[in-house]
Amino acid sequence: MSKERFDIHQHLTDRIVAAIEAGAGQWQMPWHRGSGGRAPVNISSGNAYRGVNVLALWVEAQVNGYGSHLWGTFRQWADKGASVRKGQKASYVVFYKEIEVEPGEGNEDERKSRLFARATPVFNADQVEGLERAPVVAVTELPDVDGFIASTKAAIVHGGHRAYYVPKLDEIHMPPRELFTGSATSSATEAYYSTLLHELTHWTGPAHRCARDLSGRFGTEAYAMEELLAELGAAFLCAELGIAVEPRADHAQYLAHWLKVLKADKRAIFTAASKAGEAVAFLRK
């Protein structure tokens, strides 16, 4: 009997669902715990991972207790003079490769292309030996965040006690900064910024920005999936800007919806992460 083909979409979805369920009692998502909040980086290229791979590696770091944000393949670690310890289990990232497909009958002049997902096993720095590690430098200042937010040119109105985006007015409403409080994992300033970045992700949704419409894919769960997308967008941006992500209490109500959709559709988290990535790219312009 042939070995069943490895389904990277199902694998990553199952890992993410398990991590969400493990923290559901505290209404925290995987990027709120463990080493979540710091962008995972490839040891060979020095580049940060993107999209669903960020979430996948945050989940693996949290589940396995890894403290490092550095990842690489078996060969990439060897090229750095390190070796993966015997018995260590790989985590997986996914890359898409575009492959041209031969035209079929009746459309000989039209070549098509398809995206194929390729799973790549990677290991965390905590799983290797022989690596000289640079000291971890704690972020104490957030010098670029205000400039980044101003560059979006979003209309931000301060007042009241809730944070929300108003599509009809195209405005983000935020409580005054002094109303935000710190926690065990983030400062009051970080709580303010992570909330604002969540709303900025929502702000990218209209047709004249990212033209994001999830209703065709997720139906009645579209609003809950937009909230998951905004969670991911804020988490990606916080990782880039060096901000600890502060969980939002109102997301507790969405956990059941997210789990329902992820369990029913193994590609849902990939769609959410991809759309979040598009939102982040728009905000970076």
Side-chain angles (χ1 to χ4, degrees), residues 56-230:
L57 295 179
W58 276 344
V59 167
E60 293 296 340
Q62 185 262 315
V63 169
N64 295 291
Y66 301 145
S68 175
H69 68 302
L70 299 177
W71 298 81
T73 65
F74 190 92
R75 175 168 291 184
Q76 286 171 341
W77 285 118
D79 289 343
K80 294 294 181 181
S83 58
V84 176
R85 291 196 302 274
K86 188 176 181 179
Q88 292 297 308
K89 190 174 181 180
S91 301
Y92 288 90
V93 291
V94 59
F95 294 100
Y96 289 92
K97 185 175 182 180
E98 189 172 12
I99 299 178
E100 285 195 344
V101 180
E102 292 296 329
E105 282 188 41
N107 62 335
E108 286 77 9
D109 296 331
E110 183 181 343
R111 295 183 68 85
K112 295 183 178 180
S113 61
R114 291 181 182 176
L115 288 177
F116 286 87
R118 186 181 69 181
T120 300
V122 293
F123 299 87
N124 187 268
D126 287 358
Q127 297 176 277
V128 307
E129 53 192 6
L131 176 71
E132 293 185 8
R133 303 188 193 184
V136 177
V137 179
V139 177
T140 57
E141 296 183 17
L142 308 173
D144 302 324
V145 181
D146 286 322
F148 171 80
I149 292 169
S151 71
T152 67
K153 296 182 171 55
I156 303 170
V157 179
H158 287 87
H161 292 79
R162 289 196 308 119
Y164 54 96
Y165 169 61
V166 186
K168 287 185 178 180
L169 301 176
D170 198 26
E171 292 178 345
I172 293 171
H173 287 240
M174 287 285 294
R177 288 178 66 153
E178 57 268 22
L179 293 186
F180 286 83
T181 58
S183 69
T185 58
S186 66
S187 67
T189 298
E190 289 175 313
Y192 169 82
Y193 282 136
S194 63
T195 301
L196 179 50
L197 292 173
H198 177 102
E199 299 307 330
L200 272 171
T201 306
H202 283 312
W203 177 82
T204 66
H208 61 292
R209 296 191 181 106
C210 291
R212 190 167 58 246
D213 181 8
L214 302 177
S215 60
R217 173 71 182 276
F218 299 109
T220 57
E221 302 291 353
Y223 183 72
M225 289 305 292
E226 170 68 18
E227 283 298 316
L228 175 57
L229 189 154

Side-chain angles (χ1 to χ4, degrees), residues 32-43:
H32 297 144
R33 306 191 302 278
S35 63
R38 190 175 184 190
V41 171
N42 178 264
I43 189 66

